[in-house]
Amino acid sequence: MPEVKMTFINLPVRDLNESITFFTKMGFSFNPEYTDENATCMIINKTTFIMLLVEPFFNQFLTDTKVSDCKTTTSVITALLVDSKEEVDSLYGKALQAGGEEGNCLDGNGMYNKSFRDLNGHVFELVYMNN
């Protein structure tokens, strides 16, 4: 298996400042070295990052396809594993207060999770596993 040193998830956004505000309200921070008018690097942990890219800039990386409307389709669910049910609930509450849309909530088989859509329609799962 290849040894992956870092993971960058690239997501298109319509309004970068609005997206930064949304995720800041959830408690995330951003690397200013990788932030300009086209993109920002949201820090998940030491090796995992989410690049929020304005749609025209994101489109430069595509070949013959276009950016899907995440408010009507889903192609990716980004799951973030946290340390407790309380942390799931706290982050979920912050996401909804910041303007996120409620998603599914599951509690069973050793897993507790709540999902939400961000302002651009991207689906995130907040997950606690008691294994």
Side-chain angles (χ1 to χ4, degrees):
M1 174 169 24
E3 185 178 325
V4 176
K5 298 188 185 295
M6 299 176 121
T7 302
F8 290 86
I9 301 163
N10 295 279
L11 298 176
V13 299
R14 290 182 184 93
D15 184 318
L16 185 60
N17 290 328
E18 187 177 71
S19 294
I20 291 171
T21 299
F22 176 85
F23 287 108
T24 298
K25 287 179 180 178
M26 289 186 65
F28 289 100
S29 59
F30 301 85
N31 184 334
E33 291 181 50
Y34 301 107
T35 299
D36 61 19
E37 67 279 355
N38 291 311
T40 191
C41 179
M42 186 168 81
I43 302 166
I44 302 299
N45 60 36
K46 291 180 183 178
T47 61
T48 307
F49 309 89
I50 295 179
M51 296 298 299
L52 302 174
L53 310 171
V54 294
E55 287 183 358
F57 185 68
F58 184 90
N59 278 329
Q60 293 178 7
F61 299 97
L62 303 176
T63 54
D64 59 351
T65 60
K66 62 181 182 176
V67 175
S68 63
D69 180 357
C70 292
K71 293 188 182 234
T72 60
T73 62
T74 301
S75 61
V76 173
I77 298 173
T78 303
L80 305 174
L81 186 67
V82 297
D83 289 329
S84 68
K85 287 183 176 184
E86 294 77 19
E87 192 170 357
V88 167
D89 292 339
S90 175
L91 284 171
Y92 184 72
K94 290 175 182 178
L96 298 183
Q97 287 176 352
E101 180 184 320
E102 276 186 54
N104 293 334
C105 300
L106 304 171
D107 188 3
N109 297 324
M111 185 164 38
Y112 179 77
N113 80 33
K114 294 185 175 184
S115 64
F116 67 91
R117 286 187 182 271
D118 72 2
L119 302 175
N120 293 281
H122 301 295
V123 179
F124 287 81
E125 275 187 338
L126 305 166
V127 181
Y128 167 70
M129 294 191 309
N130 62 359
N131 301 349

